Amino acid sequence: DTAVSQTPKYLVTQMGNDKSIKCEQNLGHDTMYWYKQDSKKFLKIMFSYNNKELIINETVPNRFSPKSPDKAHLNLHINSLELGDSAVYFCASRAGQDAYGYTFGSGTRLTVV
Amino acid sequence: GNSVTQMEGPVTLSEEAFLTINCTYTATGYPSLFWYVQYPGEGLQLLLKATKADDKGSNKGFEATYRKETTSFHLEKGSVQVSDSAVYFCALNRDDKIIFGKGTRLHILP
């Protein structure tokens, strides 16, 4: 069973479109995250949610809106897609305190053309 | 602020060579430290971790020791294999978020 699953795995879309990426974790973790990995492999946190509440919003354009219907799901909706949004987006979850590592999904490669 | 600096790659080694990937950090307090690995086309996997000074994390032949005095967490392996080819990320966990280094690409030649 996949612990953190993201869909779709690949997404190709035109500039100006609106798209969503879904994430689900079956680990019972309270905290979920979205990270963006750029073409140089640099990883940067975008959002974190704890038990459906927004905890971290790292100066991400407001075209990006996370939605957490329950603590097992954290979806990412992107409006008016731009070329610079092309990246790999990773969902992750974590149990408990800072001492624990995160479990990452396998990523969604978004290509905006 | 909190940050992680790791050696830039790519690092190319022959099979069975000794590996060191340097990592230093800047953080308030005492963060937990991690190494993550990303194999081609895959997501990140936790390789090892250490939660306090002098802790040694180890997994799959890799080791790293939490050195508070030098604020370092260098990754080592005594004999690398072709299957170790991947991107390795040093990271710290502080204030509810993981901060990653820029990653080091490792190529192992047969």
Coordinates of all heavy atoms in Angstrom, one line a residue, chain B residues 10-72:
Chain B
P10 N 28.3 17.6 -9.7 CA 28.1 16.2 -9.4 C 29.4 15.5 -8.9 O 30.5 16.1 -9.1 CB 27.8 15.5 -10.8 CG 28.4 16.5 -11.8 CD 28.3 17.8 -11.2
V11 N 29.3 14.5 -8.1 CA 30.4 13.7 -7.6 C 30.4 12.4 -8.4 O 29.4 11.7 -8.4 CB 30.2 13.4 -6.1 CG1 31.3 12.5 -5.6 CG2 30.2 14.7 -5.3
T12 N 31.5 12.1 -8.9 CA 31.7 10.9 -9.7 C 32.8 10.0 -9.1 O 33.9 10.5 -8.9 CB 32.1 11.2 -11.2 OG1 31.0 12.0 -11.8 CG2 32.2 9.9 -12.0
L13 N 32.4 8.8 -8.8 CA 33.3 7.9 -8.2 C 33.3 6.5 -8.8 O 32.3 6.2 -9.5 CB 33.0 7.7 -6.7 CG 33.1 8.9 -5.7 CD1 32.5 8.5 -4.4 CD2 34.5 9.3 -5.6
S14 N 34.3 5.7 -8.7 CA 34.3 4.4 -9.2 C 33.7 3.5 -8.1 O 33.7 3.8 -6.9 CB 35.7 3.9 -9.5 OG 36.3 4.7 -10.5
E15 N 33.1 2.4 -8.5 CA 32.5 1.4 -7.6 C 33.6 1.0 -6.6 O 34.8 0.9 -6.9 CB 32.0 0.2 -8.4 CG 31.0 -0.6 -7.7 CD 30.3 -1.6 -8.6 OE1 30.9 -2.0 -9.6 OE2 29.1 -1.9 -8.3
E16 N 33.1 0.8 -5.3 CA 33.9 0.4 -4.2 C 34.8 1.6 -3.6 O 35.5 1.4 -2.6 CB 34.8 -0.8 -4.5 CG 34.0 -2.0 -4.9 CD 34.9 -3.2 -5.1 OE1 36.1 -3.1 -4.9 OE2 34.3 -4.3 -5.5
A17 N 34.7 2.8 -4.1 CA 35.4 3.9 -3.6 C 34.7 4.4 -2.3 O 33.6 4.0 -2.0 CB 35.4 5.1 -4.6
F18 N 35.5 5.2 -1.5 CA 34.9 5.8 -0.3 C 34.2 7.1 -0.6 O 34.7 7.9 -1.4 CB 36.1 6.1 0.7 CG 35.6 6.6 2.0 CD1 35.2 5.7 3.0 CD2 35.6 7.9 2.3 CE1 34.8 6.2 4.3 CE2 35.1 8.4 3.5 CZ 34.7 7.5 4.5
L19 N 33.1 7.3 0.0 CA 32.3 8.5 -0.3 C 32.2 9.4 0.9 O 31.9 8.9 2.0 CB 30.8 8.1 -0.7 CG 29.8 9.2 -0.8 CD1 30.0 10.1 -2.0 CD2 28.4 8.6 -0.8
T20 N 32.3 10.7 0.7 CA 32.0 11.7 1.7 C 31.2 12.8 1.0 O 31.7 13.3 -0.1 CB 33.2 12.3 2.4 OG1 33.9 11.3 3.0 CG2 32.8 13.4 3.4
I21 N 30.1 13.2 1.5 CA 29.4 14.3 1.0 C 29.2 15.3 2.2 O 28.6 14.9 3.2 CB 28.0 14.0 0.4 CG1 28.1 13.0 -0.7 CG2 27.3 15.3 0.0 CD1 26.7 12.6 -1.3
N22 N 29.8 16.4 2.1 CA 29.8 17.4 3.2 C 28.5 18.1 3.4 O 27.9 18.5 2.4 CB 31.0 18.4 3.1 CG 32.3 17.7 3.3 OD1 32.4 16.7 3.9 ND2 33.3 18.3 2.7
C23 N 28.1 18.4 4.6 CA 26.9 19.1 4.9 C 27.1 19.9 6.2 O 27.6 19.3 7.2 CB 25.7 18.2 5.1 SG 24.2 19.0 5.7
T24 N 26.8 21.2 6.1 CA 26.9 22.0 7.3 C 25.5 22.7 7.4 O 24.8 22.9 6.4 CB 28.0 23.0 7.3 OG1 27.9 23.9 6.2 CG2 29.4 22.4 7.3
Y25 N 25.2 23.1 8.7 CA 23.9 23.8 8.8 C 24.0 25.0 9.7 O 25.0 25.2 10.5 CB 22.9 22.8 9.5 CG 23.3 22.4 10.9 CD1 22.8 23.1 12.0 CD2 24.1 21.3 11.1 CE1 23.1 22.7 13.3 CE2 24.4 20.9 12.4 CZ 23.9 21.7 13.5 OH 24.3 21.3 14.8
T26 N 23.0 25.9 9.6 CA 22.9 27.0 10.5 C 21.4 26.9 11.0 O 20.5 26.8 10.2 CB 23.0 28.3 9.7 OG1 24.3 28.4 9.1 CG2 22.9 29.5 10.6
A27 N 21.3 27.0 12.3 CA 20.0 26.8 12.9 C 19.9 27.4 14.3 O 20.9 27.4 15.0 CB 19.5 25.4 12.9
T28 N 18.8 27.9 14.7 CA 18.5 28.2 16.1 C 18.2 26.9 16.8 O 17.5 26.0 16.3 CB 17.4 29.2 16.2 OG1 16.2 28.6 15.5 CG2 17.7 30.5 15.5
G29 N 18.7 26.9 18.0 CA 18.4 25.7 18.8 C 19.1 24.4 18.3 O 20.2 24.5 17.7
Y30 N 18.4 23.3 18.5 CA 19.0 22.0 18.1 C 18.0 21.3 17.2 O 17.2 20.5 17.7 CB 19.2 21.2 19.4 CG 20.1 22.0 20.4 CD1 19.6 22.7 21.5 CD2 21.5 22.0 20.2 CE1 20.4 23.4 22.3 CE2 22.3 22.8 21.0 CZ 21.8 23.4 22.1 OH 22.6 24.2 22.9
P31 N 18.3 21.4 15.9 CA 17.4 20.8 15.0 C 17.6 19.3 14.9 O 18.7 18.8 15.2 CB 17.7 21.5 13.7 CG 19.1 21.8 13.8 CD 19.3 22.2 15.3
S32 N 16.7 18.6 14.3 CA 17.0 17.2 13.9 C 17.6 17.3 12.5 O 17.2 18.2 11.7 CB 15.7 16.4 13.8 OG 15.1 16.3 15.1
L33 N 18.5 16.4 12.2 CA 19.2 16.4 10.9 C 18.9 15.1 10.1 O 18.8 14.0 10.7 CB 20.7 16.5 11.1 CG 21.1 17.8 11.9 CD1 22.6 17.7 12.2 CD2 20.7 19.0 11.1
F34 N 18.8 15.2 8.8 CA 18.5 14.1 8.0 C 19.3 14.1 6.7 O 19.8 15.1 6.2 CB 17.0 14.3 7.5 CG 16.0 14.4 8.6 CD1 15.7 15.6 9.2 CD2 15.4 13.3 9.2 CE1 14.8 15.8 10.2 CE2 14.5 13.4 10.2 CZ 14.2 14.7 10.7
W35 N 19.4 12.9 6.1 CA 19.8 12.7 4.7 C 18.7 12.0 4.0 O 18.2 11.0 4.5 CB 21.1 11.9 4.6 CG 22.3 12.7 4.8 CD1 23.1 12.8 6.0 CD2 23.0 13.6 3.9 NE1 24.1 13.7 5.8 CE2 24.1 14.1 4.5 CE3 22.7 13.9 2.5 CZ2 25.0 15.0 3.8 CZ3 23.6 14.7 1.9 CH2 24.7 15.3 2.5
Y36 N 18.3 12.6 2.9 CA 17.3 12.0 2.0 C 18.0 11.7 0.7 O 19.0 12.3 0.3 CB 16.2 13.0 1.7 CG 15.1 13.1 2.8 CD1 15.3 13.9 3.9 CD2 13.9 12.4 2.8 CE1 14.4 14.0 4.9 CE2 13.0 12.4 3.8 CZ 13.2 13.3 4.8 OH 12.3 13.4 5.8
V37 N 17.5 10.7 0.0 CA 18.0 10.2 -1.3 C 16.9 10.2 -2.3 O 15.7 9.9 -2.0 CB 18.7 8.9 -1.2 CG1 17.7 7.8 -0.7 CG2 19.3 8.5 -2.5
Q38 N 17.2 10.7 -3.5 CA 16.2 10.7 -4.6 C 16.8 9.9 -5.8 O 17.8 10.4 -6.4 CB 15.9 12.1 -5.0 CG 14.8 12.2 -6.0 CD 14.4 13.6 -6.4 OE1 15.1 14.6 -6.2 NE2 13.1 13.8 -6.8
Y39 N 16.3 8.7 -6.0 CA 16.8 7.9 -7.2 C 16.1 8.5 -8.4 O 15.0 9.1 -8.3 CB 16.5 6.5 -6.9 CG 17.2 5.9 -5.8 CD1 16.5 5.6 -4.6 CD2 18.5 5.6 -5.8 CE1 17.2 5.1 -3.5 CE2 19.2 5.1 -4.7 CZ 18.5 4.8 -3.6 OH 19.2 4.3 -2.5
P40 N 16.7 8.2 -9.6 CA 16.2 8.8 -10.8 C 14.7 8.5 -11.0 O 14.2 7.4 -10.9 CB 17.0 8.1 -11.9 CG 18.3 7.8 -11.2 CD 17.9 7.5 -9.8
G41 N 13.9 9.6 -11.2 CA 12.5 9.4 -11.5 C 11.6 9.1 -10.3 O 10.4 8.8 -10.5
E42 N 12.2 9.2 -9.1 CA 11.4 8.8 -7.9 C 11.3 10.0 -7.0 O 12.0 11.0 -7.1 CB 12.1 7.6 -7.2 CG 12.1 6.4 -8.1 CD 12.6 5.1 -7.4 OE1 12.7 5.2 -6.1 OE2 12.9 4.2 -8.0
G43 N 10.5 9.8 -5.9 CA 10.4 10.8 -4.9 C 11.6 10.6 -3.9 O 12.5 9.9 -4.1
L44 N 11.5 11.4 -2.8 CA 12.5 11.4 -1.8 C 12.3 10.3 -0.8 O 11.2 10.1 -0.3 CB 12.6 12.7 -1.1 CG 13.2 13.9 -1.8 CD1 12.1 14.6 -2.6 CD2 13.9 14.8 -0.9
Q45 N 13.4 9.7 -0.4 CA 13.3 8.6 0.7 C 14.2 9.0 1.8 O 15.3 9.5 1.6 CB 13.7 7.3 0.1 CG 13.0 6.8 -1.0 CD 13.5 5.5 -1.6 OE1 14.2 4.7 -0.9 NE2 13.3 5.2 -2.9
L46 N 13.8 8.9 3.0 CA 14.6 9.1 4.2 C 15.7 8.1 4.2 O 15.4 6.9 4.2 CB 13.8 9.1 5.4 CG 14.5 9.3 6.7 CD1 15.1 10.7 6.8 CD2 13.6 9.1 7.9
L47 N 17.0 8.5 4.2 CA 18.1 7.6 4.3 C 18.5 7.4 5.7 O 18.7 6.2 6.1 CB 19.2 8.2 3.4 CG 20.5 7.3 3.4 CD1 20.2 6.0 2.7 CD2 21.6 8.1 2.6
L48 N 18.7 8.4 6.4 CA 19.1 8.3 7.9 C 18.8 9.6 8.6 O 18.6 10.7 7.9 CB 20.5 7.9 8.0 CG 21.6 8.7 7.3 CD1 22.0 9.9 8.1 CD2 22.9 7.8 7.1
K49 N 18.8 9.6 9.9 CA 18.6 10.8 10.7 C 19.3 10.7 12.0 O 19.8 9.7 12.4 CB 17.1 10.9 10.9 CG 16.5 9.8 11.9 CD 15.1 10.1 12.2 CE 14.6 9.0 13.2 NZ 13.1 9.2 13.5
A50 N 19.5 11.9 12.6 CA 20.0 12.0 13.9 C 19.3 13.2 14.6 O 19.1 14.2 14.0 CB 21.5 12.3 13.9
T51 N 18.9 13.0 15.9 CA 18.1 13.9 16.5 C 18.8 14.8 17.6 O 18.3 15.8 18.1 CB 16.9 13.3 17.2 OG1 17.4 12.3 18.1 CG2 16.0 12.6 16.1
K52 N 20.0 14.4 18.0 CA 20.8 15.2 19.0 C 22.3 15.1 18.8 O 22.7 14.1 18.1 CB 20.4 14.8 20.4 CG 20.7 13.4 20.8 CD 20.2 13.1 22.2 CE 20.6 11.7 22.7 NZ 20.0 10.7 21.9
A53 N 23.0 15.9 19.4 CA 24.5 16.0 19.2 C 25.1 14.6 19.5 O 24.7 13.9 20.5 CB 25.0 17.1 20.1
D54 N 26.0 14.3 18.7 CA 26.8 13.0 18.8 C 26.1 11.8 18.3 O 26.6 10.7 18.3 CB 27.4 12.8 20.2 CG 28.3 14.0 20.5 OD1 29.0 14.5 19.7 OD2 28.3 14.4 21.7
D55 N 24.8 11.9 18.0 CA 24.0 10.8 17.4 C 24.6 10.4 16.1 O 25.0 11.3 15.3 CB 22.6 11.2 17.2 CG 21.7 10.8 18.4 OD1 22.2 10.3 19.4 OD2 20.5 11.1 18.3
K56 N 24.7 9.1 15.8 CA 25.1 8.6 14.5 C 23.9 8.0 13.9 O 23.3 7.0 14.4 CB 26.3 7.7 14.6 CG 26.7 7.1 13.2 CD 27.7 6.0 13.4 CE 29.1 6.6 13.6 NZ 30.2 5.6 13.5
G57 N 23.5 8.5 12.7 CA 22.5 7.8 11.9 C 23.1 6.9 10.9 O 24.2 7.1 10.4
S58 N 22.5 5.7 10.6 CA 23.1 4.8 9.7 C 22.0 4.0 9.0 O 21.0 3.7 9.6 CB 24.1 3.8 10.4 OG 23.4 3.1 11.4
N59 N 22.3 3.6 7.7 CA 21.3 2.9 6.9 C 22.0 2.5 5.6 O 22.7 3.3 5.0 CB 20.1 3.7 6.7 CG 19.0 2.9 6.0 OD1 19.0 1.6 6.1 ND2 18.1 3.5 5.3
K60 N 21.8 1.2 5.2 CA 22.3 0.8 3.9 C 23.8 1.0 3.7 O 24.3 1.3 2.6 CB 21.6 1.4 2.7 CG 20.1 1.2 2.7 CD 19.4 1.8 1.5 CE 17.9 1.6 1.5 NZ 17.3 2.3 0.4
G61 N 24.6 1.0 4.8 CA 26.0 1.2 4.7 C 26.4 2.7 4.8 O 27.6 3.0 4.9
F62 N 25.4 3.6 4.8 CA 25.7 5.0 4.9 C 25.7 5.4 6.4 O 24.9 4.8 7.2 CB 24.7 5.9 4.2 CG 24.7 5.8 2.7 CD1 24.0 4.8 2.0 CD2 25.5 6.7 1.9 CE1 24.1 4.7 0.6 CE2 25.5 6.6 0.6 CZ 24.8 5.6 -0.1
E63 N 26.5 6.4 6.7 CA 26.6 6.9 8.1 C 26.7 8.4 8.1 O 27.3 9.0 7.2 CB 27.8 6.3 8.9 CG 27.7 4.9 9.1 CD 28.9 4.4 10.0 OE1 29.9 5.1 10.0 OE2 28.8 3.3 10.6
A64 N 26.2 9.0 9.2 CA 26.4 10.5 9.4 C 26.3 10.7 10.9 O 25.4 10.2 11.5 CB 25.4 11.3 8.6
T65 N 27.2 11.6 11.4 CA 27.2 11.9 12.8 C 26.9 13.4 13.0 O 27.5 14.2 12.3 CB 28.6 11.6 13.4 OG1 28.9 10.2 13.2 CG2 28.6 11.9 14.9
Y66 N 26.0 13.6 13.9 CA 25.6 15.0 14.3 C 26.7 15.6 15.1 O 26.9 15.3 16.3 CB 24.3 14.9 15.1 CG 23.5 16.1 15.4 CD1 22.1 16.0 15.4 CD2 24.1 17.3 15.7 CE1 21.3 17.1 15.7 CE2 23.3 18.4 15.9 CZ 21.9 18.3 15.9 OH 21.1 19.4 16.2
R67 N 27.4 16.6 14.5 CA 28.5 17.3 15.2 C 28.1 18.7 15.5 O 28.0 19.6 14.6 CB 29.7 17.3 14.3 CG 30.2 16.0 13.9 CD 31.0 15.3 14.9 NE 31.6 14.1 14.5 CZ 32.0 13.1 15.3 NH1 31.7 13.1 16.6 NH2 32.6 12.0 14.8
K68 N 27.7 19.0 16.8 CA 27.3 20.3 17.1 C 28.4 21.3 17.1 O 28.2 22.5 16.7 CB 26.7 20.2 18.5 CG 25.9 21.5 18.9 CD 25.2 21.3 20.3 CE 26.2 21.5 21.4 NZ 25.6 21.6 22.8
E69 N 29.6 20.9 17.5 CA 30.7 21.8 17.5 C 31.1 22.4 16.2 O 31.6 23.5 16.1 CB 31.9 21.2 18.2 CG 32.5 20.0 17.5 CD 31.8 18.7 17.8 OE1 30.7 18.7 18.4 OE2 32.4 17.6 17.4
T70 N 30.9 21.6 15.1 CA 31.2 22.0 13.8 C 30.0 22.3 13.0 O 30.1 22.6 11.8 CB 32.1 21.0 13.0 OG1 31.5 19.7 13.1 CG2 33.5 20.9 13.7
T71 N 28.8 22.1 13.6 CA 27.5 22.2 12.9 C 27.5 21.5 11.6 O 27.2 22.0 10.5 CB 27.0 23.7 12.7 OG1 28.0 24.4 11.9 CG2 26.9 24.4 14.0
S72 N 27.9 20.2 11.6 CA 28.0 19.4 10.4 C 27.3 18.1 10.5 O 27.0 17.6 11.7 CB 29.5 19.2 10.1 OG 30.1 18.4 11.1

